[in-house]
Amino acid sequence: MASSSTRISRLLSRSSASLFSRGGKGYLGTGFSRYSTATALEEEPIKPAVQVEHTQLLIGGKFVDALSGKTFPTLDPRTGEVIAHVAEGHSEDVDRAVAAARKAFDQGPWPKMTAYERQRILLRAADLLEKHNDELAALETWDNGKPYEQSAQIEIPMLVRLFRYYAGWADKIHGMTVPADGQYHVQTLHEPIGVAGQIIPWNFPLLMFAWKVGPALACGNTIVLKTAEQTPLSALYAAKLFHEAGLPEGVLNVVSGFGPTAGAALASHMDVDKLAFTGSTDTGKVVLELAARSNLKPVTLELGGKSPFIVCEDADVDQAVELAHFALFFNQGQCCCAGSRTYVHEHVYDEFVEKAKARALKRIVGDPFKSGIEQGPQIDSEQFEKILKYIRSGVQSGATLETGGDRLGSKGFYVQPTVFSNVEDGMLIAKEEIFGPVQSILKFKDLDEVIERANNTRYGLAAGVFTKNIDTANTLTRALRVGTVWVNCFDTFDAAIPFGGYKMSGQGREKGEYSLKNYLQVKAVRYV
Amino acid sequence: MTALSNGHAANNSSPLFKIPPIKFTNLFINGHFVHSLSGNEFETIDPRTGEVIAKISEGRKEDIDVAVKAAREAFDNGPWPRMSGAERAKIMMKWADLIEENVEELAALDAIDAGKLYHLVKVLDIPAVANCLRYYAGAADKIHGEVLKGARELHAYTLMEPIGVVGHIIPWNFPSTMFAAKVSPSLAAGCTVVLKPAEQTPLSALFFAHLAKQAGIPDGVLNVVPGFGPTAGAAISSHMDIDKVSFTGSTEVGRAIMHAAASSNLKPVSLELGGKSPLLIFDDADVDKAADLALLGILFNKGEICVASSRVFVQEGIYDEFEKKLVKKAKAWVVGDPFDPQSQQGPQVDKNQFEKILSYIEIGKEEGATLLTGGKKVGNKGYYIEPTIFSNVKENMRIAQDEIFGPVLALMKFRTIEEGIKSANNSRYGLAAGIVTKNIDTANTVSRAIRAGIIWINCYFAFGNDIPYGGYKQSGFGRDFGMEGLHKYLQVKSVVTPIYNSPWL
């Protein structure tokens, strides 16, 4: 990850080097001419260097139409125009996919082959993903709107890294021999759990694919994966490469479709042994209920967040501003762990707000395929409208809109980088997950106070701590009720570092060794 | 010998395989092949004929010093320990691929240098090197310390750091496997290495070093210095700037190495030494299969394997039938040129070993054991020996106590489980043991009762990258393979700091 963080910071610094507009007052309605690439938005969108080859469902190793014959359009968030029509999986398609996965698990070669062979297939798949880096990145950006450089230089390499990492786990999944009272020999077998149902979101389509598929395959499971309806394309491409690498048919099935139909069918399926979901807290609740009502399948949930980023009084303000900016605006603000509550100590608050605003003004927004772009469009009109609604709510509740606050351009789903200061804990923008480029800056006085306020949320996904004081860092680290604490860094992901939430941000952990537990059954064997 | 009558004569001089030209004969230090400082060379011998294969630069103390300096620099200032585990893994994976691409040439080097069966080395030893590298490459980013539960208001955690410059001294019986077992985990851990191959078998290690460079292992990270134990080996074990020494070989030499480590810089030592491993065959065993297993257990790699089942204990109910079958199978065993695909057994590695084994056969006869089959050399050229089985062996005889390291099996009878366990443990060694039974209670009882580092139930030589392997008692200490094999190349550092106002402890 060190290398990925380096790449991230390189991308960031490149953007500040190419800035050419600044200043200006960030009030609603002043237009967007200060955003450095505004003009680019009026140009024709850049044509992605990739063909959409796969739009059908991938079931039992073959691309097939939905049984109903239905399709749905997947849209280009730069323009709102159709990229392709994709087969729409419904309950009966999920049934087919589960049957294929069941057969591949119960009778197929996958769980029966040696871990070394599974490792080799995963490594070959990683090599193929690496080879097709640019096509995958282009599909990802086209479907999602994230900057192409971010896809190509950070996310696809991370995807490759994740599969190599889990390939290495395949032959290191150890049970234990267990001491027991009396004359017994006791050992635990770690067995694959069976057919895993996985439902992934649209904000990091391929990384979420890797977080789910990597550990499940390393453990010897078979999979039915439902992609988000906004971003079905890249997973189909990647899954095809897994088959080229030698993955047996039926082991990895990909069903495109919608939550209430395909997602619900998977969550409530009687023949799915495990469910993993990443998405909103509301949907997570539904998924958990469906699992409970059907066959009590265990569920891993990685849900929403309202993560605090705490800037202490000893912080270097320039660095803190840059990191807080990145923590919130990265990926158009569409990160479940986004640092969406920026708590700044009162001694550095004014300077911080001024500089945070200046930094947001420098943010380069435009066609994500263009070089040097920091921010592309939001994923779709629904998110776009929701974000604008939250911005209006912020203004109405009395927060100070420092900059941004409106859409950018006249087509697609671009939103101005937006900064609110004087935000109070009770305001909607400080409580709810906005999932967009809207930074809320709050002032605090002392450590105990900020701990209490930071923890006063139903979420508990992540937190950022910015300080050079080791005692402050240790105190905050232990006191914050969140699954990840980043000290003097943010969004540093690595294959080996577990990720997941406290409270209503979810249950279970993904990545690292911890994720293997999601996909294993433990069998205790006791001999007299 | 049946082998001879079958026409697979040991002294068959017709070329069964074209030996590739020997490309690397110099020391590999700091990324380059260099002559030894003294200019001295030694001969590596073809055990099929006793003839010289190549002259090899002979590393001595001064060459070890240069190699250690390179390894030290690579560790203290070089990129290797500072790369992420994933980056080290990538290079190791590349190395594994290159080894697979050169499998035939590498297999030929081990076959000609050690007298190993070419066709087995090609499908077993060399692919296993690639697999071992891949296993530890996969482990390089999974080296976890722990966050500790402080008893007071303390935040404490452990860092698993590479131990530093590692000296490896490896034997001649599995030149490639031992190279992989030592080098892969130490490189995964982020260490740098000075490796001395056995003087009998320097060729494959030098070829591996050449491929390591091609794969992108930085200069100085892997140094290979061929030479002799008393000079180069001693210089490694007593070097003040080597942080750890790992040795596989005889118990006597292991003792000398530990002594040298103790009297120099107290470097930690791991030793994988000799054995006299028991194979216990119980009355409920399938006699035919058990005889096959026992024979393989002693004859695999000409008996030149530290875990050889050199003591076979058979329960009295099936003893007679077992003995008959074992002898018959031994007589059908094919001894011959290791490049002949029909051969099951090649020559012993060198004249020394050859004569030592023949002398033990004489000792066996003098001690009063019954020679059931074998006992002689095969052919007039090279170092071939017949599969040899003694019965009526008493536990205190030297052929039942000493490691012969050749195709010589001591067959003994036992009555009860308790007696079998007692006899099996009556050894100064404790490396491995085999159990043949279908009874789960027998299997569980015996596997816990035998004091040895690995127990094979209804199998033998079942090795795996993830299966730790090493000895009890005078068979050594420390483990190769598995995550255990990685941990010995790591230092554990505890980091402790007070914490204030923690909501939980």
Side-chain angles (χ1 to χ4, degrees), chain A residues 492-521:
Chain A
T492 51
F493 287 98
D494 185 278
I497 304 173
F499 183 82
Y502 280 43
K503 300 191 268 185
M504 287 171 73
S505 288
Q507 45 185 263
R509 293 292 179 269
E510 294 187 312
K511 298 197 289 122
E513 185 177 5
Y514 292 86
S515 197
L516 299 173
K517 293 182 184 159
N518 298 328
Y519 297 102
L520 294 169
Q521 279 284 16

Side-chain angles (χ1 to χ4, degrees), chain B residues 323-335:
Chain B
E323 184 184 291
K324 214 175 291 167
K325 286 195 165 163
L326 182 69
V327 170
K328 193 175 163 210
K329 285 171 196 286
K331 288 188 170 169
W333 192 260
V334 182
V335 180

Side-chain angles (χ1 to χ4, degrees), chain B residues 64 166-175 178-179 181-183 186 193-201 205 223-239 242 244-250 253-254 256-258 260-261 267 269-273 480 488-489:
Chain B
I64 295 293
V166 179
H168 290 303
I169 303 173
I170 63 170
W172 44 260
N173 58 339
F174 286 87
M178 288 299 113
F179 182 93
K182 305 288 186 194
V183 169
S186 34
V193 168
V194 176
L195 177 136
K196 186 191 94 58
E199 65 271 21
Q200 294 87 343
T201 55
N223 304 277
V224 177
V225 183
F228 291 84
T231 49
I236 287 175
S237 41
S238 61
H239 207 289
I242 287 182
K244 152 91 195 173
V245 68
S246 164
F247 169 74
T248 295
S250 73
V253 177
I257 284 171
M258 193 167 163
K267 60 180 76 61
V269 174
S270 54
L271 302 173
E272 199 266 275
L273 308 174
D480 282 329
K488 67 185 186 202
Y489 302 112

